[in-house]
Amino acid sequence: MNSGNWWEFYFVRYFIGSILGALIIVSIALHPDSGMSVILTKYINFNALEIKDITIPFLLSLLFLGTAFCYIASAPILVLHTMRYRFNFTQRAGASFKDKIIFTGLFLGFYCAIWYFLDLDYVSGMMSLPAFFVIYVQLYLVSVIFQHNEKFFDYYKDLVKARAKESLSRSEYIETYRHLREHGNAFLILLCEAGLGLALFSCSSINELILITIFWLVPTLPVWFLATYLESNLKNV
């Protein structure tokens, strides 16, 4: 996408995500219902903050923190993009209902284990549910990659060969779905920020906040190895 349209720049696309990230950070730190606000006020006197203290450098720092939060929250998008070969857009007769039962059952077992491990109360458990559902979906997608990596390689090999064919209509088609997906990414990131923000908002300790952040990032770990696997098969393209 080299057409130079103003909406193609990452700054424009993810600026709203950075602002939302900054608002989430402020809510976690200052909102009276946040589990972290009580802890943070022991170290930072937010009551001493006055309007005159809200300077341009302060706002820029907050925006940079929001950008960092936005980037961390967008981790699931990386996994979804990497594992998109597993998306089946055709209905398989007789397999759909069984797959849904297995998918739901595994998620309930996974979340019960997380609930017990983190010793969550009811409110924290409900607020953390969206974040851990996103984590579970990613783990579900990557669960079979190392047993069936030939399908992973074949997908990207076929995709590269298809894109390499020169055709005006093909180029326009590729441009269209890339635009749709990139704009979809920008809005999907907002939902990811909301899910992660709810989970962090419900944290009652620094340790819990760190653990949930680590859980959020764990599904991205295979991506480096998958990229290295593709690199090792370059000779077969």
Side-chain angles (χ1 to χ4, degrees):
M1 294 185 295
N2 298 316
S3 56
N5 296 316
W6 63 269
W7 61 83
E8 293 179 0
F9 293 101
Y10 284 104
F11 174 78
V12 175
R13 284 184 179 169
Y14 301 112
F15 181 68
I16 299 300
S18 298
I19 293 177
L20 178 61
L23 292 175
I24 290 173
I25 290 174
V26 170
S27 297
I28 292 172
L30 299 180
H31 197 283
D33 293 331
S34 170
M36 293 302 301
S37 63
V38 177
I39 298 172
L40 292 176
T41 51
K42 295 179 181 179
Y43 305 98
I44 304 173
N45 185 11
F46 292 111
N47 292 327
L49 186 64
E50 300 178 359
I51 295 296
K52 64 182 179 63
D53 298 320
I54 304 178
T55 60
I56 296 298
F58 175 84
L59 293 176
L60 287 176
S61 299
L62 188 59
L63 182 61
F64 282 130
L65 286 174
T67 303
F69 181 85
C70 177
Y71 186 73
I72 292 173
S74 69
I77 312 300
L78 170 63
V79 177
L80 292 178
H81 189 74
T82 303
M83 302 301 299
R84 65 190 187 277
Y85 86 98
R86 289 201 62 188
F87 297 153
N88 184 7
F89 296 102
T90 59
Q91 186 70 33
R92 292 179 295 166
S96 178
F97 182 73
K98 179 182 177 181
D99 290 345
K100 290 177 181 177
I101 293 296
I102 294 174
F103 179 86
T104 304
L106 289 174
F107 171 67
L108 291 176
F110 167 77
Y111 194 55
C112 286
I114 292 296
W115 196 312
Y116 176 80
F117 176 74
L118 293 178
D119 192 24
L120 302 174
D121 57 32
Y122 179 77
V123 174
S124 297
M126 290 297 99
M127 293 185 70
S128 300
L129 181 62
F132 281 102
F133 180 75
V134 171
I135 294 170
Y136 169 75
V137 169
Q138 297 172 81
L139 294 175
Y140 188 84
L141 289 174
V142 303
S143 61
V144 298
I145 183 62
F146 294 106
Q147 288 78 27
H148 303 89
N149 51 22
E150 68 280 354
K151 294 182 180 179
F152 176 74
F153 170 70
D154 289 341
Y155 171 84
Y156 281 97
K157 180 180 69 174
D158 295 341
L159 181 63
V160 167
K161 289 183 177 180
R163 285 176 175 174
K165 296 177 182 178
E166 294 187 3
S167 167
L168 180 59
S169 59
R170 182 181 294 271
S171 297
E172 290 294 330
Y173 184 83
I174 293 173
E175 181 101 6
T176 298
Y177 75 68
R178 280 180 171 174
H179 276 304
L180 291 173
R181 186 166 57 207
E182 286 302 319
H183 283 287
N185 284 347
F187 289 103
L188 192 56
I189 287 173
L190 298 182
L191 293 178
C192 288
E193 286 186 274
L196 179 59
L198 281 173
L200 298 182
F201 187 88
S202 67
C203 290
S204 57
S205 68
I206 296 292
N207 291 340
E208 190 177 324
L209 184 144
I210 292 173
L211 283 174
I212 288 180
T213 304
I214 291 174
F215 278 128
W216 184 264
L217 296 175
V218 161
T220 65
L221 293 179
V223 173
W224 185 90
F225 297 97
L226 293 173
T228 303
Y229 170 74
L230 290 178
E231 180 186 42
S232 68
N233 280 277
L234 182 61
K235 58 183 180 296
N236 299 320
V237 175

